[in-house]
Amino acid sequence: MSKKVTAIGLFSGGLDSILACRIIADQGISVRALKFVTPFFDHDLLADEQAYQREIHEKYGLDVELVDLSEGYIDLLRNPAHGFGKNFNPCIDCKILMFSQARKIMENSGASFLLTGEVLGQRPMSQRRDTLNVIERDSFCKKFLLRPLSAKLMNPTLAEEQGLIDRERLYAFAGRSRKPQMQLAREMGITEFPAPAGGCVLTDPNLASRIKRFYAGLFSIGQEQFQVNDIKLLLVGRQFRLPGGHWLVLGRNEQENERLEMLKNDDDWLFFMPKRPGPTALLRRATDRLQDAPEETEILRLVAGLVVRYGRKNKGQILPGEVQVERDGCIDILQAKPLGETEFIRWLC
Ligand code: SF4
């Protein structure tokens, strides 16, 4: 009996990638759908990969695996060869990185080809024909990469030439309209799918500009020290660049306060008011940068002052209060006065 042909699908979770994988699976090919994650998109799925796999299998009958690209991605953002899109999104290099990784997985696993849900001309930059060619070329995927939704508008790939799949049962979608995809989804019985705009924070104007400034040296942390946890921290709460470049984050609600507690590293200091509702504050790498430094007392005053300032008011008044600081396994109580807006407004970022 001949071995079943396997294809590697690049799976974003959006409708186009669902359709592309289904089109190929419906031709009797075994599709391994890969979903790449980085701290800039979908990283939290790693917390429960099995739940995500179950969800995708139940909804679309596809087998998906998460692939963590964080390390390479944090480096990539320093200087992407093809530059950035409208915000801090290096879409072309992002795809080259994903496709290269998928190709390696294809080669190592003995799969026969790759597939994506790209549609010719759907996005102004990254899905133009010349850009698609550059991505294919620079990821060394030429001839291996099948785009089932637009395949009939492109040269045949190896999988078609070798008769592994039937080109006649592929599509010729192009352009920005999503009607043909919606129609195809209905024909396939797919009724539930995410909105087209993805969850990539690098395309969000506010967050992207913050990430960009972070890379440009917003806080006094060397680029070579950036870690996944730093990027996650960058996406939470109110951010402050304190005098000296110290990095402080305040939660804006209970959920963010919990998130900060989760993101706390051993050398971070955590602040909160033990007797009143208010923000949790996290001072990044404080042991390393601040312990016994001349400015330690002053920075403690500022952080405690901010925690009190953003705490719940009492009859419309912002009152002084106690702030607990947890650092290096020790707990201290500080008596804090709220900071005035004019003092801290320039530190907000
Ligand atoms: S939007 Fe984000 S995830 Fe998508 S290609 Fe661009 S950088 Fe990559």
Side-chain angles (χ1 to χ4, degrees):
M1 209 170 75
S2 63
K3 197 170 151 244
K4 197 169 181 187
V5 176
T6 300
I8 302 289
L10 284 98
F11 185 81
S12 69
L15 178 59
D16 293 347
S17 69
I18 295 167
L19 292 174
C21 290
R22 279 288 304 272
I23 291 166
I24 298 307
D26 289 352
Q27 290 207 22
I29 308 275
S30 164
V31 175
R32 259 179 88 184
L34 304 182
K35 179 162 180 65
F36 291 101
V37 301
T38 75
F40 306 99
F41 46 88
D42 301 319
H43 202 265
D44 286 349
L45 293 176
L46 287 171
D48 194 348
E49 179 169 4
Q50 286 183 353
Y52 183 65
Q53 288 174 323
R54 267 197 308 276
E55 182 193 336
I56 296 301
H57 193 83
E58 278 164 20
K59 281 187 184 160
Y60 313 118
L62 294 170
D63 295 321
V64 70
E65 296 161 38
L66 300 177
V67 181
D68 187 356
L69 266 189
S70 299
E71 268 184 40
Y73 211 95
I74 289 175
D75 287 344
L76 166 77
L77 273 178
R78 291 188 183 126
N79 189 17
H82 297 89
F84 293 98
K86 198 166 155 211
N87 296 297
F88 201 48
N89 47 316
C91 290
I92 296 175
D93 291 285
C94 171
K95 290 195 167 184
I96 291 170
L97 182 67
M98 290 187 199
F99 288 15
S100 304
Q101 190 67 26
R103 178 182 47 75
K104 284 184 201 152
I105 293 172
M106 176 190 86
E107 288 166 355
N108 292 338
S109 66
S112 300
F113 62 98
L114 300 177
L115 68 103
T116 77
E118 289 163 303
V119 171
L120 201 56
Q122 186 176 88
R123 303 249 162 98
M125 182 62 187
S126 63
Q127 295 190 6
R128 279 187 346 219
R129 192 183 287 270
D130 53 345
T131 315
L132 293 182
N133 287 337
V134 167
I135 294 169
E136 247 179 56
R137 185 196 66 202
D138 290 2
S139 58
F140 301 97
C141 287
K142 248 188 175 3
K143 292 295 251 179
F144 291 111
L145 184 58
L146 177 69
R147 298 171 170 111
L149 296 174
S150 292
K152 283 186 168 169
L153 301 171
M154 298 174 161
N155 293 330
T157 60
L158 266 186
E160 293 150 282
E161 286 173 358
Q162 292 172 344
L164 300 179
I165 53 160
D166 179 0
R167 183 171 166 89
E168 285 315 301
R169 291 166 64 196
L170 303 177
Y171 293 83
F173 298 163
R176 299 179 70 88
S177 166
R178 301 188 58 78
K179 280 195 192 144
Q181 285 97 308
M182 305 293 242
Q183 174 64 30
L184 182 58
R186 273 193 293 277
E187 286 166 21
M188 287 182 164
I190 298 172
T191 49
E192 210 183 314
F193 40 82
C200 174
V201 297
L202 297 168
T203 58
D204 175 296
N206 293 329
L207 291 174
S209 118
R210 185 188 286 175
I211 297 165
K212 185 176 177 182
R213 281 179 287 136
F214 180 69
Y215 270 81
L218 177 62
F219 305 112
S220 54
I221 294 179
Q223 280 204 3
E224 66 293 344
Q225 297 175 334
F226 292 177
Q227 291 172 359
V228 171
N229 188 301
D230 291 319
I231 306 297
K232 289 186 163 187
L233 183 61
L234 207 50
L235 308 179
V236 186
R238 278 191 185 87
Q239 305 262 330
F240 296 85
R241 183 189 189 279
L242 299 180
H246 298 287
W247 182 8
L248 179 76
V249 186
L250 258 64
R252 287 170 299 189
N253 51 46
E254 211 168 312
Q255 202 187 0
E256 289 188 346
N257 288 346
E258 282 170 17
R259 180 93 175 148
L260 290 176
E261 283 177 37
M262 252 173 55
L263 290 173
K264 181 189 175 302
N265 285 334
D266 287 348
D267 61 348
D268 295 334
W269 295 356
L270 210 62
F271 302 73
F272 61 95
M273 290 192 290
K275 295 183 183 160
R276 272 194 353 230
T280 294
L282 186 149
L283 192 58
R284 176 109 299 180
R285 289 182 177 70
T287 301
D288 188 33
R289 314 188 62 79
L290 211 52
Q291 183 98 299
D292 301 326
E295 72 268 33
E296 180 182 350
T297 310
E298 174 62 0
I299 295 291
L300 285 175
R301 179 186 78 81
L302 299 179
V303 177
L306 280 166
V307 170
V308 174
R309 160 64 181 74
Y310 281 101
R312 184 180 289 169
K313 292 178 182 163
N314 188 340
K315 294 182 185 148
Q317 295 270 67
I318 306 172
L319 299 174
E322 277 184 3
V323 173
Q324 181 166 318
V325 48
E326 293 180 6
R327 46 180 169 166
D328 308 315
C330 299
I331 292 178
D332 293 309
I333 299 288
L334 309 172
Q335 300 299 328
K337 282 191 195 151
L339 290 195
E341 197 132 322
T342 47
E343 193 172 359
F344 68 80
I345 200 81
R346 64 186 184 281
W347 306 332
L348 265 169
C349 45

